[in-house]
Amino acid sequence: LLTSIPSIRCQTCSMRDAKTSAVTMQNVADRAGVSIATVSFVVNSTKNVSPKTRERIETAMRELGFRRNAVARALASRRSHIIALLFPALDHPLETTSIRFVTSAAETASELGYHLVLWPSHYDAEEVRELTGQGLVDGVILMEVLLDDPRVPPLIESNTPFGLIGRTRDPSQLAHVDIDFDKMVEDSVAYLVSLGHHEIAFVIGRATSDMQRDYGPVARTEAAYIRVAHEYGLDSDLIYCDKTFVAGREVAGQVLERNPQTTGILVMNELAAFGIVAGLNDRGLSVPGDISLLSLSTSPTMGTSYQPELSTMDSPGIELGRLAVEALINRLENGPVPDEPQLLPCILTVRETTGPAPTRLAVEG
Amino acid sequence: LLTSIPSIRCQTCSMRDAKTSAVTMQNVADRAGVSIATVSFVVNSTKNVSPKTRERIETAMRELGFRRNAVARALASRRSHIIALLFPALDHPLETTSIRFVTSAAETASELGYHLVLWPSHYDAEEVRELTGQGLVDGVILMEVLLDDPRVPPLIESNTPFGLIGRTRDPSQLAHVDIDFDKMVEDSVAYLVSLGHHEIAFVIGRATSDMQRDYGPVARTEAAYIRVAHEYGLDSDLIYCDKTFVAGREVAGQVLERNPQTTGILVMNELAAFGIVAGLNDRGLSVPGDISLLSLSTSPTMGTSYQPELSTMDSPGIELGRLAVEALINRLENGPVPDEPQLLPCILTVRETTGPAPTRLAVEG
DNA sequence: CTGAAAGCGCTTACAG
DNA sequence: CTGAAAGCGCTTACAG
């Protein structure tokens, strides 16, 4: 019996074409002397099978090196165990933070027995219909969500299960996970105020395309800051800045021009944050000695990629990817739709760019 | 006729479950009064069909909103049009450069009618067997390839078409695309020498795990530098450095200690490059006034993320991803295996960290 | 140019 | 506990 195995291998080997003509359930059933249905039951643990039969089948599977064909399974069961991650590649190039969604989403899917297809697309309804119409994917995850995201309606119409990493304008009916931008801004302002800062500037990334004007994180952070600034009696003006180091370096001048008393800067633009620090230094101001800077929704990698290392509100990229995938798969498997928090906080990580407000005013008084 | 369409829609709508019970070829065939085979012929353009019949079928498809089911097609044709990108998530976190492979690979696949599944895995043969055994993917692309990559043998054994972004120790029998590290080092040294630099240091990223000791780009760059350094009569010692800004800042001291005459530094460690510049500044040296620094295999995004902007040998990430996918799909479709260059150059981009060697020696003489 | 039919490799009621 | 059989929605020789 044992010696027959290698010989089987070799025979098939020599007959192989581009792809291995794989061992099928029928082969296993024949070898174990049972029906194909019974094999299916033990492979999927869908029905009780007597220990003896199970044993025979498992042996046969092992000997033949059986693996269930995912495509046939998908067709018969009407579940492909594939989910698509739609990422708007062209309209919205991936930043440091977004990348973490992707890898953690892929890992989570893999752990739960699913595959993650990376589907590059525009903010376009037709492309979504194209995708869901193929019947390849069980569900879809959207990232870089816009307030009025054109990808959502076709998903609803086609009755495709989906979840968002991000939120539309009114996401109450949609499965989603997102950063809690309100809390992020509240915590940020509270932190700076607790350090004695009262003259605070807010710098935010400028949309690089029309689409991005509608981009959730920016829109929500803007709104939150205006609200919170009023609560604290702070200047609620926003300063826009391109997403580059150089732009940040220049915008530092604008910040000081607008209010020379500024002692704290909140930055929602991780690519410009170090530039702002440099721009302040250019103008003879030290960070955090004269001015504190807190970079919002920023990845640790980015925050530590220069010195002084940025104090940040860490973006929970890994967790967002994981939660979105878990929730979607739960739903696909009719599991409990978890009552977990859908809005995750950014955690304050104090590094080297924030400190007590300078006592300048006190000295004057 | 026209009014019948919405009513059909509605009927199906109300009967829909989690997923749309889609329009099938049978439905189209019935409506057009032809056989299902003929529908298949026009959908796939696999056989000539008379204009009249074709017309009827196309109308029926349009009216019913038909889209061919990808899973059934895959099972029947034995081609899923899915390719897997294996990325070693845990053992080798994605850096700026690697990310570009992923997105450009996904885009290319999509353009060519394929799907790209992101498959996180370790450097492990069994996981690869697991993947290919499922019969889900037509082909596989490996990234972050090791010199003796354990993922290669199971791919060969299972006869799965695959391509590498990177190279094993002897890649001559394998489809691959990679950076031409020899040329990268030659061009880099030639460039610095042409600027008058003769005292050159070479800083390279330290492996953060055992696996990475075997990592192709590092191993090949090391070997190339030792060779080229000998050709030019330069010091061929290598200085290892962790992949962080802080480590770079410290290693600057080591560079100067080893050879106080150093005027040029080649860095194969994009995360440490700015740190080295800062470390040189700490020690009273200006870049590029006193010392020039060229960052190898670096993405433009990284190179411009601080100032002075790094002079770099740009890593052709986008092109690598595209070429790898194109070559694999070509092979899957029995197209011409293109005789294109498999090794791409890094393009020299002079920014702000390189310049003529200081004339110190000339003054002394 | 078109069709009838087998088959891709599974899952899943339905019987027994 | 196990099996016979229909069916998932296509593709593809093979006839005509």
Side-chain angles (χ1 to χ4, degrees):
Chain A
L1 181 67
L2 281 174
T3 54
S4 73
I5 301 158
S7 79
I8 287 171
R9 282 260 172 76
C10 287
Q11 272 182 259
T12 19
C13 265
S14 55
M15 292 163 66
R16 274 171 191 165
D17 197 12
K19 255 165 115 182
T20 300
S21 57
V23 176
T24 71
M25 272 195 180
Q26 192 54 256
N27 298 333
V28 174
D30 292 348
R31 187 174 190 105
V34 297
S35 82
I36 186 184
T38 311
V39 177
S40 177
F41 300 151
V42 348
V43 168
N44 299 301
S45 318
T46 42
K47 279 196 184 177
N48 275 336
V49 173
S50 75
K52 273 170 44 189
T53 321
R54 164 187 303 279
E55 178 65 33
R56 281 215 312 285
I57 293 173
E58 281 170 349
T59 306
M61 294 201 299
R62 223 177 302 117
E63 288 173 352
L64 296 173
F66 169 79
R67 294 184 200 262
R68 120 153 111 357
N69 181 295
V71 175
R73 177 201 190 199
L75 183 59
S77 68
R78 298 149 153 287
R79 307 205 130 290
S80 65
H81 288 244
I82 295 175
I83 60 188
L85 179 62
L86 253 58
F87 76 101
L90 302 177
D91 299 322
H92 209 136
L94 290 184
E95 288 177 15
T96 334
T97 300
S98 326
I99 289 147
R100 307 170 87 96
F101 299 159
V102 179
T103 57
S104 88
E107 281 167 26
T108 307
S110 186
E111 286 164 18
L112 298 175
Y114 280 71
H115 298 268
L116 208 246
V117 299
L118 248 197
W119 183 271
S121 73
H122 302 264
Y123 289 111
D124 177 60
E126 187 51 31
E127 284 183 44
V128 173
R129 284 191 206 100
E130 179 69 36
L131 170 61
T132 60
Q134 296 186 173
L136 216 214
V137 305
D138 290 345
V140 171
I141 289 179
L142 260 39
M143 56 184 282
E144 311 290 15
V145 176
L146 304 182
L147 292 182
D148 298 292
D149 202 301
R151 301 170 299 177
V152 167
L155 251 13
I156 294 176
E157 280 160 29
S158 67
N159 235 308
T160 306
F162 70 100
L164 315 177
I165 301 180
R167 277 173 285 167
T168 54
R169 197 177 301 283
D170 172 17
S172 55
Q173 301 304 311
L174 307 176
H176 65 276
V177 299
D178 199 0
I179 291 171
D180 188 337
F181 294 103
D182 279 303
K183 183 167 164 47
M184 176 186 80
V185 170
E186 286 161 14
D187 291 355
S188 303
V189 172
Y191 169 60
L192 285 191
V193 167
S194 78
L195 288 171
H197 298 277
H198 298 291
E199 305 291 337
I200 295 177
F202 195 97
V203 176
I204 194 161
R206 176 176 288 126
T208 55
S209 77
D210 282 350
M211 282 304 179
Q212 285 185 39
R213 236 171 281 287
D214 201 19
Y215 184 46
V218 169
R220 289 208 156 76
T221 302
E222 286 179 355
Y225 183 68
I226 290 170
R227 176 175 62 72
V228 173
H230 281 143
E231 285 172 24
Y232 280 84
L234 303 171
D235 175 16
S236 66
D237 276 7
L238 304 170
I239 302 173
Y240 291 88
C241 174
D242 286 342
K243 297 174 181 176
T244 66
F245 177 92
V246 173
R249 192 162 200 164
E250 266 175 32
V251 98
Q254 216 175 306
V255 167
L256 296 172
E257 227 167 76
R258 173 182 300 251
N259 179 2
Q261 307 296 320
T262 304
T263 68
I265 307 181
L266 259 19
V267 180
M268 179 71 174
N269 183 338
E270 61 177 6
L271 294 174
F274 284 114
I276 297 174
V277 175
L280 294 171
N281 293 342
D282 291 344
R283 290 161 178 83
L285 294 170
S286 77
V287 176
D290 297 309
I291 295 196
S292 284
L293 183 146
L294 181 63
S295 184
L296 309 188
S297 185
T298 298
S299 72
T301 313
M302 190 69 208
T304 60
S305 73
Y306 209 88
Q307 284 181 318
E309 294 187 349
L310 299 174
S311 293
T312 60
M313 297 296 285
D314 285 357
S315 69
I318 310 273
E319 292 80 358
L320 288 173
R322 166 165 299 277
L323 280 181
V325 169
E326 281 177 353
L328 179 60
I329 291 178
N330 256 333
R331 174 156 163 224
L332 291 174
E333 312 207 322
N334 301 314
V337 179
D339 209 37
E340 73 209 293
Q342 301 168 308
L343 264 25
L344 304 186
C346 287
I347 304 299
L348 172 66
T349 302
V350 177
R351 295 199 186 86
E352 303 171 352
T353 58
T354 50
T359 49
R360 187 172 24 165
L361 290 177
V363 170
E364 281 176 7
Chain B
L1 181 68
L2 282 174
T3 54
S4 74
I5 301 159
S7 79
I8 287 172
R9 282 261 172 75
C10 287
Q11 272 182 260
T12 19
C13 263
S14 56
M15 292 164 65
R16 275 173 189 164
D17 196 12
K19 254 165 114 183
T20 300
S21 56
V23 176
T24 71
M25 272 194 179
Q26 191 55 255
N27 298 334
V28 174
D30 291 349
R31 186 175 190 103
V34 297
S35 81
I36 186 183
T38 311
V39 177
S40 177
F41 299 151
V42 348
V43 168
N44 299 301
S45 318
T46 42
K47 280 196 184 177
N48 275 336
V49 172
S50 75
K52 273 171 43 192
T53 321
R54 166 187 302 281
E55 178 64 34
R56 280 215 314 284
I57 293 174
E58 280 170 349
T59 307
M61 293 200 300
R62 223 177 303 116
E63 288 173 352
L64 296 173
F66 169 78
R67 294 184 202 263
R68 120 153 113 356
N69 181 294
V71 175
R73 177 201 190 199
L75 182 60
S77 68
R78 298 150 151 286
R79 307 206 131 289
S80 65
H81 288 243
I82 295 176
I83 61 188
L85 178 63
L86 253 58
F87 75 102
L90 302 177
D91 299 322
H92 209 135
L94 290 184
E95 288 177 16
T96 333
T97 299
S98 326
I99 289 147
R100 306 169 86 96
F101 299 158
V102 180
T103 57
S104 88
E107 280 166 27
T108 306
S110 185
E111 286 164 18
L112 298 176
Y114 280 70
H115 298 267
L116 208 247
V117 299
L118 247 197
W119 182 271
S121 73
H122 303 264
Y123 288 112
D124 177 60
E126 188 50 33
E127 284 182 44
V128 173
R129 285 191 205 100
E130 179 69 36
L131 170 60
T132 60
Q134 295 186 172
L136 216 214
V137 305
D138 290 345
V140 171
I141 289 178
L142 260 38
M143 56 184 283
E144 310 291 15
V145 176
L146 304 182
L147 291 182
D148 298 292
D149 202 301
R151 301 170 299 176
V152 167
L155 251 14
I156 294 176
E157 280 161 29
S158 67
N159 236 307
T160 307
F162 70 100
L164 314 177
I165 301 182
R167 276 173 287 167
T168 54
R169 197 177 301 281
D170 172 17
S172 56
Q173 300 304 310
L174 308 176
H176 64 277
V177 299
D178 200 1
I179 291 171
D180 188 337
F181 294 104
D182 279 303
K183 183 167 163 48
M184 176 185 81
V185 170
E186 287 161 15
D187 291 355
S188 303
V189 171
Y191 169 62
L192 285 191
V193 167
S194 78
L195 288 171
H197 298 277
H198 299 291
E199 305 291 337
I200 295 177
F202 195 97
V203 177
I204 195 161
R206 176 177 287 127
T208 55
S209 77
D210 282 349
M211 281 305 179
Q212 285 185 39
R213 236 170 280 287
D214 201 20
Y215 184 46
V218 169
R220 289 207 157 76
T221 302
E222 286 179 355
Y225 184 68
I226 290 170
R227 176 175 61 74
V228 174
H230 281 142
E231 284 172 23
Y232 279 84
L234 304 171
D235 175 16
S236 67
D237 275 7
L238 304 170
I239 301 173
Y240 292 88
C241 174
D242 286 343
K243 297 174 179 175
T244 66
F245 178 92
V246 173
R249 193 161 201 164
E250 265 174 33
V251 99
Q254 216 175 306
V255 168
L256 297 172
E257 226 166 79
R258 175 181 301 251
N259 178 2
Q261 306 297 320
T262 304
T263 67
I265 306 180
L266 259 19
V267 181
M268 178 71 174
N269 183 339
E270 62 177 6
L271 294 174
F274 284 114
I276 297 174
V277 175
L280 294 171
N281 293 343
D282 292 344
R283 290 161 179 82
L285 294 170
S286 77
V287 175
D290 297 309
I291 295 195
S292 284
L293 183 147
L294 181 62
S295 184
L296 309 188
S297 185
T298 298
S299 72
T301 314
M302 191 69 208
T304 60
S305 72
Y306 209 87
Q307 283 180 319
E309 294 186 350
L310 299 174
S311 293
T312 60
M313 297 296 285
D314 286 355
S315 69
I318 309 273
E319 292 80 357
L320 289 173
R322 165 166 301 276
L323 280 181
V325 169
E326 281 176 353
L328 179 59
I329 291 177
N330 256 333
R331 174 156 164 224
L332 290 175
E333 311 206 323
N334 301 314
V337 179
D339 209 37
E340 73 210 291
Q342 302 169 307
L343 263 26
L344 304 186
C346 287
I347 305 299
L348 172 65
T349 302
V350 177
R351 295 199 186 85
E352 303 171 351
T353 58
T354 50
T359 50
R360 187 172 23 164
L361 291 177
V363 171
E364 281 175 9

